[in-house]
Amino acid sequence: MPFHRTSTGTPPRRDIARGRYFVSSVRFRGEGGAGYPFSIPAVRHLREVRELFITAPVTFFIGENGTGKSTLLEAVAVAMGLNPEGGSRDHCFSTEETHSCLHDHIAVVREAYPTDTFFLRAECFYNTSTYIARSDPGAVNYHVMSHGESFLSIVRDRLRGNGLYLLDEPEAALSPQRQMSLLLIMDQLVSLNSQFIVCTHSPILMAFPGAVTLEFSDSGIRPVNYRETDHFMITKQFMTRPDHMLRMLFASGSGGDGIGNNPVQ
């Protein structure tokens, strides 16, 4: 099913194409504190460098679990006035207040202002789709679709262009084919003056042309080339010689740690 633009006939603005982003940087304010979330590697790094710059229409946050990708993305969403569980500024629901206080310690620097915003996170997707169904009687019933179908339907239905879109691990809902469908929609929305910041583990999504990939690790946050990511290298190695990779994994007993640094012989 193709992406359909909701339009008034007005040509899209060109802020993003001119390098004027809806989020151009994230600044740390004050000194923070001890413990969570300030003990998370990404937050420690941001507190030290004071500012993280966003320099492309599509930015990926990648890295191992626990390095702070989703925590930082969530803080940006809340600082922008979005519901921490997902949705737009108009989505007012809460099942459990588990978001951190990080949004109180950052400032989002903007060079332009979107007319559309949406925070879509895989872990709270059921809650978001339920809220849409209850608050909008004319909305599509996303619960009668598969997880992946409903996820892509919300992307098609709710993301209208001239927008800032924050996606947290969208691949959790999507098959490889549907991930490529999402790439197509993202490309169309970028052409309609939109910006994406995406937390992901998917080497398919990371391949988006011209995207900047920021790797989160225990040592901080740094830009990385797509083909130099563990995600790309480990997936390539596994798909090239799955039997060899499985033997390495089971022999190591390490849960796969470090396998990406060992070239396939």
Side-chain angles (χ1 to χ4, degrees), residues 174-217:
L174 303 174
S175 70
Q177 182 67 46
R178 294 308 187 200
Q179 290 179 46
M180 289 189 283
S181 297
L182 178 59
L183 284 174
L184 176 60
I185 295 172
M186 289 171 62
D187 182 60
Q188 293 168 335
L189 284 166
V190 167
S191 74
L192 296 176
N193 197 52
S194 298
Q195 179 182 1
F196 286 83
I197 304 177
V198 184
C199 290
T200 187
H201 296 287
S202 168
I204 294 176
L205 296 183
M206 289 178 213
F208 190 94
V212 168
T213 302
L214 297 178
E215 183 180 60
F216 288 50
S217 70

Side-chain angles (χ1 to χ4, degrees), residues 120-135:
L120 195 53
R121 55 191 319 179
E123 65 178 304
C124 299
F125 178 73
Y126 183 89
N127 302 338
T128 302
S129 56
T130 298
Y131 176 83
I132 291 173
R134 291 176 177 173
S135 61

Side-chain angles (χ1 to χ4, degrees), residues 49-250:
V49 301
R50 308 307 293 182
E51 189 165 14
L52 177 67
F53 292 95
I54 305 296
T55 59
V58 176
T59 302
F60 292 112
F61 290 174
I62 72 166
E64 282 302 322
N65 303 119
T67 52
K69 306 179 302 298
S70 294
T71 300
L72 183 56
L73 188 70
E74 176 189 82
V76 170
V78 176
M80 296 287 289
L82 296 169
N83 190 320
E85 292 191 35
S88 69
R89 287 192 178 97
D90 298 328
H91 289 183
C92 301
F93 68 93
S94 176
T95 54
E96 186 73 26
E97 291 196 4
T98 59
H99 59 285
S100 77
C101 65
L102 183 58
H103 62 279
D104 290 326
H105 298 269
I106 64 170
V108 176
V109 180
R110 318 174 199 191
E111 296 173 339
Y113 289 82
T115 57
D116 190 35
T117 52
F118 211 93
F119 181 28
L120 195 53
R121 55 191 319 179
E123 65 178 304
C124 299
F125 178 73
Y126 183 89
N127 302 338
T128 302
S129 56
T130 298
Y131 176 83
I132 291 173
R134 291 176 177 173
S135 61
D136 183 357
V140 173
N141 183 358
Y142 298 110
H143 289 311
V144 301
M145 304 177 185
S146 72
H147 190 192
E149 289 172 330
S150 58
F151 192 97
L152 275 183
S153 291
I154 282 187
V155 171
R156 292 190 184 103
D157 296 345
R158 300 282 163 169
L159 278 54
R160 300 180 174 89
N162 194 47
L164 171 67
Y165 305 121
L166 309 177
L167 309 183
D168 190 8
E169 299 186 1
E171 70 275 9
L174 303 174
S175 70
Q177 182 67 46
R178 294 308 187 200
Q179 290 179 46
M180 289 189 283
S181 297
L182 178 59
L183 284 174
L184 176 60
I185 295 172
M186 289 171 62
D187 182 60
Q188 293 168 335
L189 284 166
V190 167
S191 74
L192 296 176
N193 197 52
S194 298
Q195 179 182 1
F196 286 83
I197 304 177
V198 184
C199 290
T200 187
H201 296 287
S202 168
I204 294 176
L205 296 183
M206 289 178 213
F208 190 94
V212 168
T213 302
L214 297 178
E215 183 180 60
F216 288 50
S217 70
D218 289 341
S219 58
I221 306 171
R222 68 181 184 97
V224 63
N225 181 279
Y226 167 62
R227 292 178 180 271
E228 295 174 353
T229 64
D230 281 349
H231 307 71
F232 176 86
M233 293 189 294
I234 292 174
T235 301
K236 180 180 179 181
Q237 289 176 13
F238 191 92
M239 297 307 295
T240 301
R241 296 183 64 186
D243 293 341
H244 177 79
M245 290 291 287
L246 288 171
R247 284 196 301 271
M248 289 176 60
L249 173 66
F250 297 148

